[in-house]
Amino acid sequence: MKVVGFAGFSGSGKTTLVESLIPALKLRGLRVSVVKHAHHNFDIDYPGKDTYRHRQAGAFEVVVASDMRLALIREFERPSQLTVHHLIAELYEGVDWVLVEGFKESNLLKIEVWRPEAAKPALYSEDDFIVAVATNSAASLPVATMRPVLDLDDADAVAQWLVDNGDRFDYDPERYS
């Protein structure tokens, strides 16, 4: 599989870009998975559902599946700091691309998503793992860069850049252990 991260501050457009890249890559015949970092509690389950009742009863894991979908819910006994590599290891290995949103501190190769109107600093000048910058205003970049500058508003061009440079993003879990 190939893995690429998308880094940037909240409001920079990471989710919108990832959301647009999924169909652009699928149109190229590629299977895409997403790993998303959450900074807060979240739930995909709710009171009254059988899976919720199983978790409330104390199950460590609940897997629910149909002929079209599978979900795994794992409850940790205490707060756990999972790395992006732990989460990638949970994915189906037959996927072509994994798009990682968040985990900006990770050692994955990443595309920085930067917008001047977000009024946040750019990360690329301090992070050697950022291999390209996606922006809606290349002329406004705060520091000159030799990295490719991609059009944030052209997901098809970003997808093509990823495919054209795919060998750079081959994921080898041994490299990160």
Side-chain angles (χ1 to χ4, degrees), residues 35-51:
V35 172
K36 168 77 171 112
H37 185 261
H39 291 284
H40 45 75
N41 283 340
F42 67 93
D43 215 333
I44 62 168
D45 209 3
Y46 52 92
K49 301 306 290 178
D50 294 347
T51 52

Side-chain angles (χ1 to χ4, degrees), residues 143-160:
V143 178
T145 183
M146 297 296 291
R147 293 171 177 91
V149 176
L150 308 172
D151 183 348
L152 179 58
D153 298 322
D154 189 350
D156 192 61
V158 175
Q160 191 60 52

Side-chain angles (χ1 to χ4, degrees), residues 10-13 114-120 135-137 140 152-153:
S10 180
S12 63
W114 186 83
R115 290 178 183 273
E117 58 270 20
K120 298 287 186 184
T135 183
N136 62 341
S137 181
S140 299
L152 179 58
D153 298 322

Side-chain angles (χ1 to χ4, degrees), residues 64-71:
V64 58
S66 70
D67 62 345
M68 295 297 292
R69 184 170 296 134
L70 174 142

Side-chain angles (χ1 to χ4, degrees), residues 1-71:
M1 71 176 62
K2 299 174 187 314
V3 177
V4 61
F6 293 87
F9 290 95
S10 180
S12 63
K14 296 181 307 292
T15 299
T16 301
L17 178 58
V18 169
E19 180 183 26
S20 300
L21 282 172
I22 295 166
L25 291 167
K26 284 186 70 171
L27 281 172
R28 290 164 170 81
L30 301 168
R31 182 179 283 161
V32 180
S33 291
V34 175
V35 172
K36 168 77 171 112
H37 185 261
H39 291 284
H40 45 75
N41 283 340
F42 67 93
D43 215 333
I44 62 168
D45 209 3
Y46 52 92
K49 301 306 290 178
D50 294 347
T51 52
Y52 184 89
R53 293 172 58 195
H54 296 153
R55 285 191 309 129
Q56 291 303 112
F60 175 66
E61 292 181 323
V62 176
V63 176
V64 58
S66 70
D67 62 345
M68 295 297 292
R69 184 170 296 134
L70 174 142

